[in-house]
Amino acid sequence: MSEITYTKQGDYLIPDLTLPTEPEIQLGRYALMHRDYLEQHKRVTYLNLLTSGELNTHLHQTEQAALQRLELLTKQLASEQGVTEELKEKAPMQWLGLMNNIRSQAEEVILTELIYS
């Protein structure tokens, strides 16, 4: 435990408090969405992560989990709905439309399960 230092301002001693430093991590779309959600709706959790120096790590882990889940769900939904590489070659516009719908479905699950929870 480090010792607390003080700065005198007028007749008062004010503690020199700083937040712990966190490693610089590039945050993606899902991490930023989760941060905003925590800051607005889960204030205590957000402040606990921030003051403990674990916010960026938590956000990075959430981002990675979201991306992995998105890839897995997209593959599963495409397989269930019969969207194949063969369809991509025969009818690319139909394949694109179906894949956009599948990606939207998968993203909705991710937002509900990981980002806004």
Side-chain angles (χ1 to χ4, degrees):
M1 178 100 190
S2 63
E3 200 172 307
I4 298 177
T5 59
Y6 296 87
T7 302
K8 188 166 184 159
Q9 293 187 0
D11 293 336
Y12 300 100
L13 289 176
I14 308 295
D16 299 323
L17 301 176
T18 58
L19 291 174
T21 56
E22 288 190 72
E24 282 290 322
I25 299 173
Q26 186 71 19
L27 299 177
R29 174 177 174 231
Y30 296 115
L32 296 175
M33 291 167 72
H34 188 58
R35 182 191 64 196
D36 292 344
Y37 173 78
L38 289 175
E39 192 173 4
Q40 294 171 11
H41 301 285
K42 303 278 186 169
R43 193 83 176 137
V44 172
T45 301
Y46 173 79
L47 291 173
N48 284 341
L49 289 167
L50 181 65
T51 56
S52 67
E54 297 173 4
L55 180 62
N56 283 344
T57 302
H58 171 75
L59 294 174
H60 181 71
Q61 289 171 347
T62 302
E63 174 83 16
Q64 295 308 308
L67 292 173
Q68 289 172 356
R69 186 101 165 99
L70 179 66
E71 184 179 342
L72 179 66
L73 281 173
T74 301
K75 285 179 183 176
Q76 286 177 343
L77 290 169
S79 176
E80 288 171 9
Q81 296 178 23
V83 180
T84 62
E85 289 296 314
E86 186 178 309
L87 178 63
K88 182 179 180 179
E89 291 174 15
K90 288 182 180 178
M93 292 308 289
Q94 181 186 1
W95 178 87
L96 182 62
L98 291 170
M99 287 305 292
N100 283 340
N101 287 339
I102 288 170
R103 187 169 177 91
S104 293
Q105 290 172 354
E107 192 166 75
E108 190 65 36
V109 170
I110 290 164
L111 294 177
T112 302
E113 291 180 356
L114 296 173
I115 306 304
Y116 301 129
S117 63

